[in-house]
Amino acid sequence: MAKRRQRTKDATPVVASPTPKQGRRSKTAWKLMDRSTTLAASAAAPVVAAGAWRAVTGRKPPTSSDNPEVELREAIGWAIVGGALVQVVKVAVRRQTAQYWVRSTGQLPPGMKGIMGDRMADEVAEAKAEHAASTRKKNKKSRKR
């Protein structure tokens, strides 16, 4: 399906949305990036949580919360701190992945809706401009060679 150009009153061409095949590729790329970083964060989060627990308490985190030898206060503390740190690591990694996507493509990841209104639209527009500028620089360098 060919792209159509429509003329508006100010004679600025408007390009139709990307073809379905291009949309499918970007969705697949985003899913792959999102899932792989989620898996990496899931693997790293318990290590970070255990390290934080050791730094604060000076002891290893309880391995079995239902063991009667572990104090109730310590088991509950580990559940709260460990669970919270795991989620914080996952959120941080996924946000960084989405920000990388915006910087790389100049658009929000497929399926993600903007919720911050004009501020996010400005950031996305700025990212698009940066992406376009870096693409032009790369193209100029490749032409010179």
Side-chain angles (χ1 to χ4, degrees), residues 95-130:
R95 285 181 59 88
Q96 289 297 318
T97 304
Q99 288 173 350
Y100 173 79
W101 182 272
V102 170
R103 282 191 315 269
S104 299
T105 65
Q107 299 174 1
L108 288 174
M112 190 177 289
K113 296 178 183 176
I115 56 172
M116 298 182 77
D118 293 337
R119 189 175 121 210
M120 187 59 159
D122 291 343
E123 289 179 17
V124 170
E126 187 178 308
K128 281 183 182 180
E130 288 175 13

Side-chain angles (χ1 to χ4, degrees), residues 45-120:
V47 175
V48 171
W53 181 266
R54 280 190 198 113
V56 171
T57 64
R59 297 186 309 268
K60 288 184 177 180
T63 54
S64 179
S65 299
D66 55 350
N67 188 336
E69 293 176 355
V70 175
E71 291 182 32
L72 179 63
R73 193 172 72 195
E74 186 177 15
I76 291 173
W78 169 244
I80 292 170
V81 171
L85 284 174
V86 165
Q87 289 304 314
V88 166
V89 169
K90 285 182 181 181
V91 166
V93 169
R94 292 187 77 199
R95 285 181 59 88
Q96 289 297 318
T97 304
Q99 288 173 350
Y100 173 79
W101 182 272
V102 170
R103 282 191 315 269
S104 299
T105 65
Q107 299 174 1
L108 288 174
M112 190 177 289
K113 296 178 183 176
I115 56 172
M116 298 182 77
D118 293 337
R119 189 175 121 210
M120 187 59 159

Side-chain angles (χ1 to χ4, degrees), residues 12-75:
T12 304
V14 176
V15 179
S17 62
T19 62
K21 193 172 188 178
Q22 289 171 333
R24 229 178 296 134
R25 284 183 187 157
S26 66
K27 283 183 183 178
T28 302
W30 170 248
K31 283 182 183 179
L32 181 64
M33 284 178 64
D34 187 41
R35 289 182 181 155
S36 62
T37 55
T38 299
L39 287 173
S42 297
V47 175
V48 171
W53 181 266
R54 280 190 198 113
V56 171
T57 64
R59 297 186 309 268
K60 288 184 177 180
T63 54
S64 179
S65 299
D66 55 350
N67 188 336
E69 293 176 355
V70 175
E71 291 182 32
L72 179 63
R73 193 172 72 195
E74 186 177 15

